[in-house]
Amino acid sequence: MNYKEYLWWHKGVVYQIYPRSFKDSDGDGVGDLRGIIEKLDYLKDLGVDAVWISPIYPSPMADFGYDVSDYTGIHPLFGEMKDFDELLTEVHQRGMKLILDLVPNHSSNKHPWFLESKSSKNNHKRDWYIWKDPGKDGGPPNNWLSVFGGSGWEYDEKTEQYYYHAFLKEQPDLNWRNPDLQQAMLAIMRYWLKKGVDGFRVDVMWHMIKDEQLRDDPPNPEYKKGMNSYSKLLPAYSTDQDEVHDIVHKMRKVIDEYDERLLIGEIYLPISKLVSYYGEDNQGAHLPFNFQLLQLPWNAARIKATIDEYEGALPENGWPNWVLGNHDNSRIASRVGKDQAKNAAILLLTLRGTPTIYYGDELGMQDVDIPKEKIQDPQALNEPGVGRSRDPERTPMQWDATKNAGFTKGDPWLPLMVNYKEINVKKQWDQPGSMLQLHRKLLKIRAQEPALHVGNYLPVLSQDGILSYIRKYEEQQFLIVLNLTDSEVNFAPGFKWTGTVKVSSHEEFEGKEMNDKINLPANLGLVIKLE
Ligand code: NOJ
Ligand code: MG
């Protein structure tokens, strides 16, 4: 591709905001749109290019906004439409982009569509959801499970049928085989795109179509006691059906009615299946989210193999992307520890492809222990002791050392990390060697150097816990060397090279000239510009 053909989302960095936890402007303990507006200068100065906000639509909040009751409104907790319009304008004024979360697989059970659908078997919206007669024994139509525990089917006494819900029973699945539903959801996309929204992150894209014959899912041979109940079966028929690609393509066509808009898909599938979501001739999702770094053990050989597998599996002109954290998974600084979290940041921001940073990870925020009585997440409440709580990675952003880390003047909806007086934006902004400084440097150099934002990826070696690769664009080359262990190792790639360290996990290395062989102290990460 010619340099000019790369668009903002190829070159840029996405930052995910979980709006409940970013910044509260009105003291109700829950983050809101005006709070985000207040912090846009921070995001701009940090150096990110696009902001994706988790759902802000009206919702009964059974799943904290992923149960939408009005797809074209704003929840009063977050503000009003005029706040949203202002947010969009302010984001654009700073040269950034705004990505919304679209939740098309299911609505809230309080959505007027569902209320109508539920009202009678003859209602014209009956078929907008997945209603089926009971199975032979009067029980659910088949064995499909809910991700949040128990059967995926809920019985409705009045109309004597079951409806399917892949998540909570308060989140009935929409029927994407119905053409009217399809048109309604595509119209919702146009509503936001017309306003000027720059794209969507589509929730659970691989769930959108289920087997028409409703065949039972097979038992999972790997299931063990103590795992969540959803793992009992392999979702072979309830997810990732071929026809989903027609739906994604239809969404993409809507996106393409507008200039330079972006379609991201949330998809938890192995690489071989994930890449099918780019669609035929790349006419599907621009970026099927790649969650490999969320799932792999922190091991150089495994990561190296996965990068190669992913690079090798990408369709021609399919653009890669990497995600290191999100609101559904334990934070990186808790998964790999504080020291390696720095290397993880270097990795995320120097691999080939669009990176997504989860809010707070730029500070090294860790999972927060939530006392039992304060648990909010339905995934944990539904299956106590088995369903993993997602609250720990959803705690308030740590802005400064004042009460509640400057997040709210009220009572925060989730408790804060106890060490927020040490780990916060204000303290780390200019603090040498801090996680935030590292992010600022990485984001800056990534934006400046074509080798880092569009360059090729060339594996160098992975051995003794070292992960190393080159990013190259025309004559410019960067050598990345990461010691993913906590002991000293030697790096000797077997070719001659000379370069200067531009960014390092250990800032005392920055500016040093190096060549050929190096002794890598524990946990060291280097971004070296080659001569
Ligand atoms: C994926 C979202 O990221 C998660 O937070 C939500 O609970 C489920 N989809 C259901 O919408
Ligand atoms: Mg608020």
Side-chain angles (χ1 to χ4, degrees):
M1 233 156 79
N2 192 303
Y3 189 77
K4 285 203 188 108
E5 289 171 68
Y6 290 103
L7 302 176
W8 62 270
W9 55 265
H10 294 107
K11 297 186 279 190
V13 175
V14 178
Y15 184 95
Q16 182 193 352
I17 287 180
Y18 194 68
R20 296 181 67 90
S21 299
F22 198 58
K23 170 73 189 172
D24 177 24
S25 72
D26 60 0
D28 64 357
V30 178
D32 42 51
L33 296 177
R34 301 220 67 85
I36 300 175
I37 296 173
E38 276 177 42
K39 295 300 182 184
L40 288 178
D41 285 336
Y42 164 72
L43 295 174
K44 180 67 190 170
D45 293 346
L46 178 62
V48 298
D49 305 276
V51 178
W52 148 38
I53 36 180
S54 285
I56 46 168
Y57 316 107
S59 159
M61 295 282 169
D63 188 21
F64 295 109
Y66 285 96
D67 49 322
V68 179
S69 53
D70 173 3
Y71 286 96
T72 54
I74 301 294
H75 196 298
L77 253 182
F78 296 125
E80 295 173 23
M81 192 56 84
K82 70 170 179 24
D83 301 314
F84 177 81
D85 291 337
E86 191 178 323
L87 171 66
L88 186 58
T89 309
E90 293 284 327
V91 166
H92 286 162
Q93 267 175 9
R94 287 167 179 77
M96 297 191 288
K97 306 285 182 182
L98 189 65
I99 299 165
L100 286 188
D101 212 310
L102 185 73
V103 193
N105 177 71
H106 45 267
S107 73
S108 159
N109 62 338
K110 300 283 159 55
H111 194 294
W113 295 346
F114 188 69
L115 299 179
E116 277 190 61
S117 182
K118 201 181 158 186
S119 67
S120 98
K121 270 183 168 169
N122 305 322
N123 185 277
H124 70 288
K125 287 204 176 64
R126 184 66 171 181
D127 186 48
W128 282 34
Y129 292 83
I130 302 172
W131 291 99
K132 299 288 171 197
D133 287 334
K136 280 187 211 92
D137 56 354
N142 70 11
N143 72 351
W144 295 353
L145 297 172
S146 155
V147 175
F148 291 150
S151 169
W153 295 95
E154 182 72 12
Y155 188 63
D156 174 53
E157 301 274 343
K158 188 174 153 212
T159 56
E160 300 181 328
Q161 281 191 316
Y162 282 85
Y163 67 85
Y164 177 63
H165 57 92
F167 296 88
L168 298 173
K169 65 179 190 319
E170 292 84 3
Q171 294 168 293
D173 277 44
L174 287 155
N175 177 17
W176 274 88
R177 297 182 190 280
N178 181 297
D180 295 334
L181 175 273
Q182 289 188 8
Q183 285 317 313
M185 197 58 80
L186 298 178
I188 287 160
M189 291 176 71
R190 288 192 185 94
Y191 170 84
W192 292 107
L193 292 167
K194 237 180 254 162
K195 264 189 182 288
V197 162
D198 298 288
F200 298 101
R201 170 268 192 193
V202 177
D203 192 65
V204 295
M205 191 179 256
W206 84 113
H207 271 265
M208 290 180 62
I209 289 257
K210 318 26 153 136
D211 180 39
E212 197 155 27
Q213 302 172 52
L214 292 191
R215 283 170 284 185
D216 274 348
D217 279 333
N220 174 9
E222 313 283 317
Y223 174 76
K224 290 190 188 61
K225 249 196 148 163
M227 288 163 84
N228 66 353
S229 63
Y230 186 66
S231 330
K232 283 183 183 158
L233 304 179
L234 293 174
Y237 294 111
S238 52
T239 64
D240 191 35
Q241 300 301 292
D242 243 6
E243 301 105 302
V244 72
H245 298 293
D246 302 332
I247 305 299
V248 177
H249 179 59
K250 284 183 185 171
M251 291 183 154
R252 171 62 180 271
K253 284 216 309 236
V254 171
I255 289 277
D256 287 346
E257 290 168 16
Y258 303 79
D259 266 3
E260 295 192 15
R261 309 300 165 95
L262 172 64
L263 188 63
I264 300 176
E266 186 210 17
I267 301 150
Y268 285 90
L269 286 176
I271 289 173
S272 55
K273 291 187 168 183
L274 174 69
V275 294
S276 68
Y277 285 76
Y278 283 97
E280 221 176 289
D281 297 324
N282 291 317
Q283 293 305 302
H286 293 108
L287 301 177
F289 259 156
N290 164 15
F291 294 129
Q292 293 298 319
L293 294 179
L294 281 172
Q295 293 166 329
L296 287 174
W298 204 244
N299 166 295
R302 288 289 294 273
I303 298 176
K304 146 95 168 91
T306 300
I307 299 169
D308 287 331
E309 188 191 347
Y310 182 57
E311 282 279 350
L314 286 170
E316 208 184 327
N317 292 324
W319 187 250
N321 78 88
W322 297 93
V323 178
L324 195 56
N326 63 29
H327 61 295
D328 296 327
N329 289 280
S330 178
R331 283 193 183 267
I332 184 69
S334 291
R335 277 186 281 133
V336 304
K338 272 202 316 240
D339 294 326
Q340 284 299 327
K342 289 191 169 169
N343 283 336
I346 297 177
L347 185 65
L348 174 71
L349 294 170
T350 60
L351 278 173
R352 191 175 83 94
T354 308
T356 300
I357 299 176
Y358 184 50
Y359 87 93
D361 280 355
E362 76 272 31
L363 305 175
M365 272 176 67
Q366 289 183 306
D367 293 347
V368 177
D369 270 338
I370 310 289
K372 249 200 186 133
E373 65 283 3
K374 293 208 164 145
I375 296 180
Q376 306 277 341
D377 181 13
Q379 177 164 282
L381 295 170
N382 270 13
E383 290 195 287
V386 180
R388 191 190 158 265
S389 173
R390 298 169 296 177
D391 296 333
E393 64 265 18
R394 296 177 175 182
T395 62
M397 178 71 172
Q398 296 158 201
W399 294 106
D400 56 39
T402 65
K403 190 159 180 247
N404 298 323
F407 163 71
T408 182
K409 295 214 156 56
D411 278 333
W413 78 286
L414 278 176
L416 279 114
M417 197 164 148
V418 281
N419 62 357
Y420 73 76
K421 292 206 164 99
E422 291 307 310
I423 298 186
N424 63 63
V425 171
K426 194 165 177 212
K427 178 141 194 190
Q428 285 192 19
W429 188 258
D430 288 317
Q431 187 181 37
S434 69
M435 189 68 161
L436 186 53
Q437 278 252 314
L438 176 66
H439 276 83
R440 288 176 63 197
K441 288 179 192 165
L442 286 167
L443 286 162
K444 192 166 168 202
I445 195 167
R446 192 181 192 283
Q448 279 167 350
E449 299 283 351
L452 293 177
H453 57 251
V454 297
N456 295 342
Y457 167 83
L458 306 164
V460 170
L461 65 74
S462 92
Q463 171 183 307
D464 306 328
I466 302 174
L467 178 64
S468 173
Y469 48 91
I470 284 179
R471 296 293 311 284
K472 180 175 170 23
Y473 183 78
E474 293 177 345
E475 297 311 305
Q476 300 282 6
Q477 294 196 58
F478 280 82
L479 173 68
I480 320 298
V481 186
L482 304 170
N483 178 357
L484 300 191
T485 72
D486 56 7
S487 40
E488 188 178 295
V489 281
N490 288 316
F491 174 70
F495 57 83
K496 294 221 159 290
W497 60 274
T498 313
T500 310
V501 178
K502 292 291 174 189
V503 183
S504 172
S505 57
H506 297 40
E507 54 134 34
E508 63 274 18
F509 280 80
E510 289 169 6
K512 283 201 177 162
E513 289 194 7
M514 297 190 160
N515 54 39
D516 303 346
K517 292 181 186 171
I518 33 182
N519 230 349
L520 291 177
N523 304 311
L524 183 70
L526 302 169
V527 179
I528 303 166
K529 187 167 191 173
L530 295 182
E531 268 152 35

